[in-house]
Amino acid sequence: MSQPSQPYQQPSPYPQGSVPPGLGTPAARNGLGVASLVLGIIGALSGVIPFLFWLAGVLGLIGLILGLAGRGRARRGEATNKGVATSGVVLGSLALVLAVVGAALTFVFVGEVVKELDKATPSVSSAPGAGGGTDSGSGDAKGKALAAGDSAVYDDDLTVTVSEPVAYTPGEYAVGHTRGNKAYKVTVVIENAGKEKFDAGLTTVTARAGADGVEAESIYDDTTGTGFSGTILPGKKATAVFAFDSPAAAKALTVEVGPGILHDTSQWELKL
């Protein structure tokens, strides 16, 4: 009897025991672990730099999330860098802790700075001036305006005095005066009885007129409106004349003087 013929088998081009390309284990997905480690390092370094706590918090949170995801891939056999992902989780957590500590320290520091600025800001009290006016309180300290001739006295021994308003006629080339309105000028005196020189150039003087508080525009001509400039040495004083444009029917002029950014403003209610 004849033997049945065996089917022909084509020989394999690959060595015995080898795995053809494309049929083996897929490439490891290690990107999440690496990204977690990088973000964790940057976040931790940011956490030790003052005022960068916010960056440490953001990077630490992202690094922590990516690290946990990378560890999950490693457990499923999709990644081979479980240790790298774990390091990213640790550094991300550290960055978050540093962010919380940095935020707390920053808030404490800012609070202390604000307290020091409050201490450095001179408070204001009022005192009767040479004009014989009564003590009617500081414009900001007690909610009342000072009278003409009264003085606002600050706790750094700076004294500001505003005189009674005097009607006057602006010069031919004056700026700020409207025809039909009245013009008044006041004299402001700043006396420095403290131990440090005072920068008078930062002093502001404004005014409002009438019961409605309409802004009284400053008038500039050859005799008024130049304001204060330079510094006032201890034991010295400076005087400046200011002029304001007021509606004809106004019965009062409210003058506000702010002697620099470290001093409260004070107000004088001047009868016209």
Side-chain angles (χ1 to χ4, degrees):
M1 294 182 60
S2 62
Q3 296 293 332
S5 61
Q6 297 293 331
Y8 175 75
Q9 294 182 351
Q10 184 178 359
S12 173
Y14 305 103
Q16 185 177 5
S18 64
V19 180
L23 300 179
T25 303
R29 301 169 63 189
N30 295 331
L32 291 180
V34 174
S36 171
L37 179 62
V38 173
L39 292 178
I41 293 174
I42 298 176
L45 292 177
S46 300
V48 299
I49 300 176
F51 302 108
L52 286 184
F53 63 89
W54 57 271
L55 181 60
V58 172
L59 296 181
L61 179 60
I62 298 175
L64 176 61
I65 294 174
L66 294 182
L68 293 175
R71 283 171 55 85
R73 281 186 177 180
R75 284 195 301 269
R76 295 190 300 269
E78 299 175 3
T80 59
N81 62 343
K82 182 179 180 180
V84 173
T86 301
S87 299
V89 171
V90 173
L91 290 174
S93 302
L94 177 61
L96 288 175
V97 173
L98 292 176
V100 173
V101 174
L105 293 177
T106 300
F107 293 148
V108 171
F109 174 76
V110 171
E112 292 297 326
V113 171
V114 172
K115 289 181 181 179
E116 291 299 324
L117 289 177
D118 289 340
K119 293 179 181 179
T121 302
S123 61
V124 59
S125 61
S126 60
T134 58
D135 183 0
S136 50
S138 166
D140 284 341
K142 298 181 181 179
K144 297 180 180 179
L146 299 168
D150 285 353
S151 300
V153 182
Y154 295 84
D155 60 9
D156 60 349
D157 294 327
L158 191 74
T159 302
V160 180
T161 307
V162 177
S163 71
E164 294 184 0
V166 177
Y168 94 111
T169 302
E172 181 179 0
Y173 301 103
V175 176
H177 179 59
T178 301
R179 180 173 297 182
N181 286 353
K182 292 184 178 179
Y184 297 91
K185 63 181 180 180
V186 297
T187 302
V188 179
V189 179
I190 300 178
E191 182 176 1
N192 182 13
K195 298 180 180 179
E196 303 290 337
K197 64 181 181 180
F198 171 71
D199 185 2
L202 299 177
T203 302
T204 59
V205 180
T206 58
R208 297 186 297 273
D212 295 333
V214 178
E215 181 181 359
E217 188 172 356
S218 298
I219 300 175
Y220 300 90
D221 58 14
D222 55 347
T223 61
T224 63
T226 57
F228 292 96
S229 62
T231 58
I232 305 175
L233 295 176
K236 301 295 183 179
K237 64 176 63 176
T239 302
V241 178
F242 297 85
F244 300 99
D245 188 62
S246 171
K251 302 299 182 182
L253 186 70
T254 302
V255 176
E256 181 172 288
V257 181
I261 59 177
L262 295 181
H263 296 75
D264 294 331
T265 59
S266 298
Q267 293 184 357
W268 284 256
E269 191 73 16
L270 310 178
K271 296 180 180 181
L272 301 178

